[in-house]
Structures are given as structure tokens and as C-alpha cells.
Amino acid sequence: MPVTPTPFDAGAEFDRQVRNLTGRDYPALSGLDPEWFGALLAPLRTHAVAAEAGGRCAPETGRVPFLLVVTRKLVPVEETMPRTVLHGGRLPGFIDRSFEPGALERFVATEETALPASDAYLLLDVERGEEFCGAVPHEAMATLAGRGRTLLTIEEGVALLTHFPAVLVKNKCFSLGGSRCGDRRVPAIWIGQKAPKLGWCWQGNPHTWLGMASAGARRV
């Protein structure tokens, strides 16, 4: 039976995402008290409501209207990834050892990604991209570029999993082509050891369980 998207209140969803980050110690990790952290994010609420009024949210289908993203400039990926879990799971997410020392820092947003300069922003019209499971990652990225969509960065992939754990399920994991380090590696999030795992795969190697995540736009 197909999943029926659940209508939602965009303002209430934005507030939930702020509480979600606060409950995962993002204020302390960023060096801010909860009030200052909330004040930093508050201006984005108007954009969320304006962009998604009357929208629908169905994370089980791999699509969500918007994400509140905090960049590594405010909280490092090494701290945010362990604060993710699978839907119904308890084990913390982790970074795969295939990232050699110092490698993660070199995976930065590509020029095409046009990442905002802000420490926090909204990512709109997000898809985990399971239509690209089994496709060559490099070709999937080219297809999405042709559609005018933007690839997710590592921070955005972590944000997707943080706010909507139900998007990460067996055989429907996702690559994050918006962050690259200048070689053929493409970061991705999949399931390993019964927990979310941030790793990477080669841009020319397809995997039946790994799609390509994308979004419609970013707003600051």
C-alpha cells in the first residue's frame, strides 16, 4: 500500500527542527546558549513558512519540503554525525574509517553547489534520490544538474538524517555529491553495523542500494 503524504504546518515543522537541534546539544557544540542559538535560526522561519505553506511531508518516501541546516563552521561533522540514529534505532551514527586522517576536512562544497555564506540556512524540496540506485554516480550528478537541481553536501545529508531518520532505510541510501575533495570519491550515507554511516564511494562505481540526494534550492 502506498504511503500517503501527511499534511503539515510549515511553521510548526520549523519549530520542531529547532527543538530537534537543541535537544541534540547543537547550541553547546556551537558555543552558544539555547536562546542565542534560537535567535540565530529564527529569521529563517519566515522563509520556511513562505516557501512551504500548504506543503506536504512524507519522509518515508524520501521527500521532505525543507531542512534547517547548520554548517560545519558552527558545529563540525565529527560532532553532528554521532547524533544521528536510524528510525527506531539507538546506535549512534559514525564516520567510516575509509576517511584517512584529515580527509573529511577536504570534502567541501563544490563551486556548482553555491553554498550560502551563512552558518545556518534552509534547504528546500529535498529528495534522497533512490531513482538513481544502480546508476553510475557521476552520471546521476549530471542528470540532476540538467534538471536544475542541486546536490546535497555532507552537512545537508547529516541534517536530512537528523531531522528525518525515516529517510535512511535498507536499499534506499544516498550519495552527497555536493561535497567533493578533488578526486573521484563521492561521500554518501548508508547503513552499517545497524547505524548510519558516513563513508564514500567512487564516482564511477554504481551500487544498487545507493542513490543521489538533491534539492531544489537554498535560502538564507
Side-chain angles (χ1 to χ4, degrees):
M1 180 179 296
V3 177
T4 301
T6 303
F8 80 111
D9 180 300
E13 172 57 27
F14 180 88
D15 295 341
R16 182 194 72 84
Q17 292 190 24
V18 174
R19 292 194 303 271
N20 189 36
L21 296 177
T22 301
R24 284 170 167 74
D25 298 324
Y26 274 57
L29 293 170
S30 63
L32 301 172
D33 63 34
E35 290 74 19
W36 279 103
F37 184 77
L40 174 68
L41 304 179
L44 295 169
R45 190 179 194 277
T46 300
H47 296 293
V49 173
E52 301 304 329
R56 292 180 178 270
C57 186
E60 297 84 0
T61 70
R63 297 184 177 187
V64 298
F66 65 83
L67 292 176
L68 182 51
V69 181
V70 172
T71 71
R72 68 178 73 180
K73 291 185 293 182
L74 201 61
V75 184
V77 177
E78 292 86 349
E79 296 287 355
T80 57
M81 191 63 196
R83 286 166 171 78
T84 64
V85 295
L86 297 176
H87 180 62
R90 294 184 179 181
L91 297 177
F94 64 98
I95 298 172
D96 190 70
R97 289 180 294 178
S98 60
F99 284 103
E100 70 275 13
L104 188 59
E105 290 75 12
R106 296 196 298 273
F107 278 86
V108 297
T110 64
E111 182 177 348
E112 294 79 9
T113 302
L115 196 68
S118 302
D119 291 337
Y121 58 91
L122 286 180
L123 186 67
L124 306 179
D125 184 22
V126 183
E127 299 180 359
R128 69 184 168 201
E130 65 261 36
E131 70 171 285
F132 296 106
C133 287
V136 175
H138 189 63
E139 295 176 357
M141 290 187 281
T143 297
L144 287 165
R147 296 177 184 175
R149 292 184 63 79
T150 183
L151 304 173
L152 265 63
T153 66
I154 288 176
E155 292 101 312
E156 291 165 353
V158 173
L160 177 58
L161 181 58
T162 298
H163 295 306
F164 298 99
V167 302
L168 186 64
V169 295
K170 183 179 180 180
N171 296 325
K172 293 182 180 179
C173 305
F174 46 88
S175 293
L176 304 168
S179 292
R180 302 297 297 274
C181 69
D183 60 19
R184 295 184 296 112
R185 292 179 289 179
V186 181
I189 293 178
W190 65 89
I191 300 172
Q193 302 174 32
K194 299 181 180 180
K197 177 167 73 171
L198 173 62
W200 57 263
C201 293
W202 300 114
Q203 67 179 17
N205 291 0
H207 297 280
T208 58
W209 42 270
L210 196 59
M212 183 68 64
S214 69
R218 297 175 179 86
R219 294 287 183 268
V220 295

